[in-house]
Amino acid sequence: MLPKEQRLSRQFVKQLFNSGKRLSTPRFSIIHRPSTQSFSRISVVVPTSVSKLSSQRKRLRRIFYKALRGILPLTTPLEMVIIVRRADPPHNLITVLSRELSKIQRR
């Protein structure tokens, strides 16, 4: 889990859904915008359509947060929501996330 100051609240997630830019992959979507602070703030959303069991949704959330923990210091500050679309994360999740974040930074 990320520290509380690096996580987005529900209020900011709703704002991001309305005003953020979108990037989609087959396994997850990213909604993002530049951060107003000097660090990135992130939220991972796993809907019940991915898994009915909360334990599996929490497991997916933890996997994504763990992968993001190593990548975040290397990126420019962003506010982003990652929406998981499939219950099977790729084996190279860190590589896939860093590739997608680099695409965002180039835009």
Side-chain angles (χ1 to χ4, degrees):
M1 188 63 78
L2 294 173
K4 189 172 183 177
E5 64 268 359
Q6 289 186 343
R7 287 180 274 159
L8 285 175
S9 67
R10 288 184 183 189
Q11 174 189 358
F12 284 109
V13 170
K14 288 179 184 179
Q15 289 177 5
L16 205 55
F17 269 98
N18 294 329
S19 65
K21 294 181 181 178
R22 296 176 186 263
L23 178 87
S24 295
T25 68
R27 295 180 190 259
F28 58 89
S29 295
I30 299 175
I31 303 172
H32 64 92
R33 71 178 177 200
S35 180
T36 56
Q37 286 140 2
S38 62
F39 53 88
S40 294
R41 296 174 60 195
I42 296 177
S43 181
V44 177
V45 177
V46 184
T48 55
S49 62
V50 171
S51 175
K52 299 291 184 200
L53 299 175
S54 65
S55 58
Q56 287 182 349
R57 292 194 308 269
K58 289 179 185 176
R59 178 182 160 273
L60 284 169
R61 215 174 276 124
R62 284 194 305 268
I63 289 170
F64 272 84
Y65 278 129
K66 183 178 179 182
L68 286 166
R69 196 176 314 137
I71 298 170
L72 283 182
L74 307 174
T75 63
T76 57
L78 294 170
E79 292 178 344
M80 75 176 114
V81 176
I82 297 176
I83 304 166
V84 180
R85 293 179 166 184
R86 291 179 51 189
D88 56 335
H91 297 292
N92 57 348
L93 181 62
I94 294 173
T95 307
V96 172
L97 278 173
S98 62
R99 185 179 337 120
E100 296 304 323
L101 291 176
S102 67
K103 285 181 188 176
I104 290 171
Q105 291 176 353
R106 281 185 263 154
R107 290 183 180 184

